[in-house]
């Protein structure tokens, strides 16, 4: 049976020719080319004309690969051709191997491989483009952030100074408007920086103990004032069984709740804002707490309740509702970092409820550091301190000068370039007690300046407090500052209380 199948279905794709030394075909099995006996091999294809000279050589085995021929039906076949000559007593043998399927498969494989390589290279180029785009965006945001924070610091500083002068009621109202606008601009910058941090994957949860009761009360107090300004009733409902000291990310919790409350107040014209917090359960040293914020505002159409969490998304573009459109996006991302989510239940025209459940660490060993904000506890009234400010911004220079001059305990020296720092620090006629150091200087990064100060041989220079003034406070940045020998950071824009508190902490 097998032999019968082989006889019926086996098809040879090899043709054997016996030729003389002049190229005339003596015998052929006619597998590919038919009725060619008596013809010259060049009649099959012009390629064979080039083989004639090899037929007179003795004992040669020649192979010609990937030769394209046309069969009798005009189809192109791809062949290998073998020419074998003997000792002159036997006629030469020519074998035509039809390898069309093999070569086509090989070509297909090679093409697929080439396409894969090309696609891989395209992907690399796209990734490189995206990296460059991300780097450009981050550099732009960093510069934009830095350039805006200096003038905001100036506005905040001189607004505080003006408040301490004899203002009329009308002028006091102008200052309030200016403060409101400045704080709004400051928040916009913070939102842009936060969303950039989230998109670049640099946002992360920082676990530290804090007083949950105090935080909720602080948040409620601020938003109660804002609600009452709009004539809204602000209701709080905090369960008495909430744990007091918990481990979690205090700053991100504050931002999530503040963003949700601000949104509720913004889109509510009449009625109430309700802020709730309740304990779901305590288990394995973890407390699961439910937060809920409700309003009687304009509500959200059902089809838009998912898109409200997109960056820069605002459903209502009325001039009454200003903002960057980032608040809910930031809140959503920060909650998702904890493995949880924000849910929304809203009816258009009736109001909305946003809620989330968050886990916090419960540990009996948690203790909070006691802070002392009394001015006299840090500074001896009869002592003067030499402060070196390293910053090229005239606005920051003037702001710091005015803040320190108003207290009478400080002498201020100013350096605008990193190269000026070491000569001033090593001037023993006027020893420096503390350095305020801008990180972004025109000639060198501030952290490099700090390293140079710490490398000075005198012991006092290794202990001189250095406080960085910067807008860059990512976790990686803070690690870099600490490694450079920087003691603390004041985030720009800063106000008088923030700056003085930090200075006093390191001079006490």
């Amino acid at each position: 049976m097998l032999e019968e199948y082989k006889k019926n279905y086996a098809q040879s794709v090899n043709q054997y020719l016996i030729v003389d030394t002049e190229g005339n075909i003596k015998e052929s099995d006619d597998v590919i080319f038919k009725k060619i006996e008596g013809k010259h091999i060049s009649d099959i294809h012009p390629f064979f004309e080039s083989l004639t000279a090899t037929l007179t050589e003795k004992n040669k085995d020649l192979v010609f690969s990937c030769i394209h021929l046309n069969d009798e039906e005009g189809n192109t076949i791809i062949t290998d051709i073998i020419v074998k000559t003997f000792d002159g007593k036997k006629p030469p043998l020519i074998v035509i191997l039809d390898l069309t399927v093999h070569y086509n498969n090989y070509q297909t494989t090679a093409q697929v491989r080439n396409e894969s390589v090309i696609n891989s290279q395209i992907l690399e180029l796209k990734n490189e483009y995206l990296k460059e785009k991300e780097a450009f965006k981050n550099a732009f945001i960093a510069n934009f952030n830095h350039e805006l924070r200096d003038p905001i610091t100036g506005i905040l500083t001189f607004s505080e100074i003006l408040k301490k002068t004899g203002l009329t009621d009308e002028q006091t109202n102008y200052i309030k408007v200016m403060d409101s606008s400045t704080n709004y601009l400051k928040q916009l910058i913070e939102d842009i920086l936060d969303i950039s941090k989230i998109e670049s994957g640099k946002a992360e949860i920082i676990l530290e103990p804090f007083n949950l009761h105090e935080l909720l009360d602080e948040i409620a107090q601020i938003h109660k004032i804002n609600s009452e300004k709009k004539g809204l009733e602000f209701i709080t409902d905090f369960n008495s069984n909430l744990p007091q000291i918990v481990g979690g990310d205090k700053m991100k919790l504050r931002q999530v709740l503040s963003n949700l409350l601000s949104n509720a107040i913004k889109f509510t014209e009449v009625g109430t804002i309700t802020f709730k917090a309740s304990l779901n359960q305590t288990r394995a040293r973890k407390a699961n707490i439910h937060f809920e914020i409700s309003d009687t505002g304009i509500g959200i159409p059902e089809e838009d309740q998912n898109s409200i969490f997109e960056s820069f998304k605002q459903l209502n573009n009325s001039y009454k509702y200003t903002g960057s459109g980032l608040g809910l996006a930031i809140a959503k991302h920060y909650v998702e970092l904890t493995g949880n989510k924000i849910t929304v239940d809203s009816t258009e025209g009736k109001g909305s409820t946003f809620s989330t459940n968050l886990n916090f660490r419960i540990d009996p060993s948690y203790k909070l550091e006691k802070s002392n904000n009394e001015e006299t506890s840090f500074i001896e009234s009869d002592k003067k301190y030499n402060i070196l400010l390293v910053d090229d911004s005239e606005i920051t220079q003037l702001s710091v000068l005015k803040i320190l001059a108003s207290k009478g305990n400080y002498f201020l020296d100013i350096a605008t370039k990193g190269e000026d720092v070491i000569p001033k620090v090593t001037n023993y006629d006027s020893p420096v007690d503390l350095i305020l150091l801008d990180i972004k200087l025109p000639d060198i990064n501030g952290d490099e300046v700090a390293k140079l100060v710490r490398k000075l041989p005198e012991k006092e220079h290794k202990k001189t407090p250095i406080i960085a003034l910067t807008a860059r406070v990512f976790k990686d940045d803070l690690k870099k500052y600490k490694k450079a020998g920087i003691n603390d950071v004041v985030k720009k824009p800063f106000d008088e209380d923030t700056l003085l508190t930090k200075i006093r902490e390191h001079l006490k």
Side-chain angles (χ1 to χ4, degrees), residues 19-54:
V19 299
D20 61 21
T21 54
E22 293 180 355
N24 297 309
I25 301 171
K26 298 300 182 181
E27 293 183 45
S28 170
D29 59 5
D30 290 352
V31 172
I32 302 173
F33 300 99
K34 314 292 185 182
K35 299 178 181 180
I36 58 175
E37 288 185 11
K39 294 182 179 181
H40 193 270
I41 55 174
S42 63
D43 292 335
I44 299 175
H45 191 277
F47 167 77
F48 290 97
E49 183 70 40
S50 63
L51 300 182
T52 305
T54 66

Side-chain angles (χ1 to χ4, degrees), residues 13-16 32 78-82 95-99:
V13 290
N14 303 332
Q15 182 165 355
Y16 294 85
I32 302 173
I78 307 172
T79 65
D80 281 4
I81 297 174
I82 300 172
V95 183
I96 303 173
L97 308 176
D98 184 356
L99 302 176

Side-chain angles (χ1 to χ4, degrees), residues 148-162 164 182 387 389 391-407 410 412 414 436 469 490 492-500 503:
L148 276 181
R149 285 177 185 269
D150 281 342
I152 291 177
T153 297
I155 295 171
L156 291 172
T157 300
F158 286 96
S159 173
E160 289 300 316
I161 292 172
L162 281 173
K164 296 174 183 177
T182 304
I387 308 295
L389 171 65
D391 198 311
D392 64 316
S393 167
E394 292 183 1
I395 295 174
T396 303
Q397 293 170 13
L398 192 54
S399 298
V400 174
L401 176 62
K402 289 293 184 181
I403 290 173
L404 298 185
S406 67
K407 300 303 171 186
Y410 309 97
L412 182 66
I414 296 174
L436 298 174
L469 306 178
V490 170
K492 290 184 176 181
F494 54 82
D495 55 25
E496 178 178 320
D497 289 341
T498 301
L499 181 64
L500 288 175
I503 290 174

Side-chain angles (χ1 to χ4, degrees), residues 91-139:
L93 172 67
I94 296 177
V95 183
I96 303 173
L97 308 176
D98 184 356
L99 302 176
T100 304
V101 174
H102 166 76
Y103 278 115
N104 283 342
N105 288 339
Y106 180 82
Q107 184 177 6
T108 300
T109 302
Q111 184 175 352
V112 170
R113 181 179 179 278
N114 289 339
E115 288 177 354
S116 176
V117 171
I118 291 171
N119 289 335
S120 176
Q121 291 174 341
I122 290 173
L123 184 61
E124 286 180 11
L125 289 172
K126 285 183 177 178
N127 287 338
E128 190 66 28
Y129 167 73
L130 291 174
K131 287 180 182 178
E132 290 178 359
K133 184 179 178 182
E134 182 69 17
F136 172 79
K137 184 191 77 172
N138 290 338

Side-chain angles (χ1 to χ4, degrees), residues 362-373:
I362 303 294
D363 192 330
S365 66
Y366 281 157
K367 293 181 180 179
L368 300 181
E369 294 182 3
K370 294 183 178 180
S371 60
N372 188 351
N373 294 322

Side-chain angles (χ1 to χ4, degrees), residues 203-446:
E204 57 186 348
I205 297 298
I206 299 174
L207 184 67
E208 58 184 5
F210 66 93
N211 190 316
L212 178 63
H213 293 188
E214 286 185 1
L215 178 64
L216 293 178
D217 288 340
E218 288 173 13
I219 295 172
Q221 186 62 33
I222 291 169
H223 290 88
K224 181 179 181 181
I225 294 170
N226 294 335
S227 296
E228 291 174 348
K229 286 180 181 178
K230 289 188 70 174
L232 304 174
E233 183 182 7
F234 190 87
I235 300 172
T236 58
D237 182 7
F238 302 149
N239 282 14
S240 58
N241 62 347
L242 287 173
Q244 184 173 12
I245 308 301
V246 298
D249 195 319
K250 177 181 178 180
M251 297 306 296
K252 289 185 177 62
L253 176 61
R254 180 193 294 274
Q255 188 158 7
V256 168
L257 297 177
S258 294
N259 285 3
L260 294 176
L261 283 165
S262 296
N263 224 52
I265 295 169
K266 181 196 299 185
F267 293 103
T268 303
E269 299 301 326
V270 178
T272 61
I273 306 296
T274 305
F275 181 19
K276 296 181 179 180
S278 58
L279 179 65
N280 289 329
Q281 64 175 2
T282 302
R283 185 176 176 183
R285 290 197 172 186
K286 286 185 179 180
N288 185 267
I289 298 176
H290 177 77
F291 298 96
E292 183 176 299
I293 293 162
S294 303
D295 64 64
T296 56
I298 61 176
I300 306 163
E302 186 175 353
E303 63 272 16
D304 294 324
Q305 290 180 14
N306 289 325
S307 62
I308 57 171
F309 292 103
E310 297 173 7
S311 298
F312 302 104
K313 184 74 174 183
Q314 282 193 323
L315 299 182
N316 193 311
N317 293 317
S318 169
Y319 71 92
K320 293 193 300 182
Y321 305 118
T322 58
S324 63
L326 292 173
L328 289 181
I330 292 169
K332 173 179 178 286
H333 283 297
Y334 282 165
V335 168
E336 288 178 348
L337 278 177
T338 68
N340 297 287
K341 64 179 183 178
I342 297 176
T343 59
V344 56
D345 180 17
S346 182
T347 303
E348 192 172 7
K350 292 187 177 180
S352 305
T353 297
F354 289 83
S355 61
T356 186
N357 297 305
L358 299 175
N359 288 320
F360 296 90
R361 181 80 175 163
I362 303 294
D363 192 330
S365 66
Y366 281 157
K367 293 181 180 179
L368 300 181
E369 294 182 3
K370 294 183 178 180
S371 60
N372 188 351
N373 294 322
E374 295 181 13
E375 185 172 321
T376 55
S377 65
F378 296 101
I379 300 296
E380 298 177 12
S381 59
D382 59 343
K383 185 173 182 179
K384 307 291 185 181
Y385 292 89
N386 289 318
I387 308 295
L388 174 61
L389 171 65
V390 188
D391 198 311
D392 64 316
S393 167
E394 292 183 1
I395 295 174
T396 303
Q397 293 170 13
L398 192 54
S399 298
V400 174
L401 176 62
K402 289 293 184 181
I403 290 173
L404 298 185
S406 67
K407 300 303 171 186
N409 295 101
Y410 309 97
F411 295 114
L412 182 66
D413 193 6
I414 296 174
T416 58
K417 295 180 180 179
E419 64 185 22
D420 299 331
V421 174
I422 299 302
K424 289 182 179 293
V425 169
T426 54
N427 179 7
Y428 296 102
D429 292 333
S430 180
V432 174
D433 295 303
L434 182 142
I435 301 172
L436 298 174
L437 179 62
D438 184 22
I439 293 298
K440 189 178 180 183
L441 295 169
D443 58 335
I444 187 173
N445 285 337

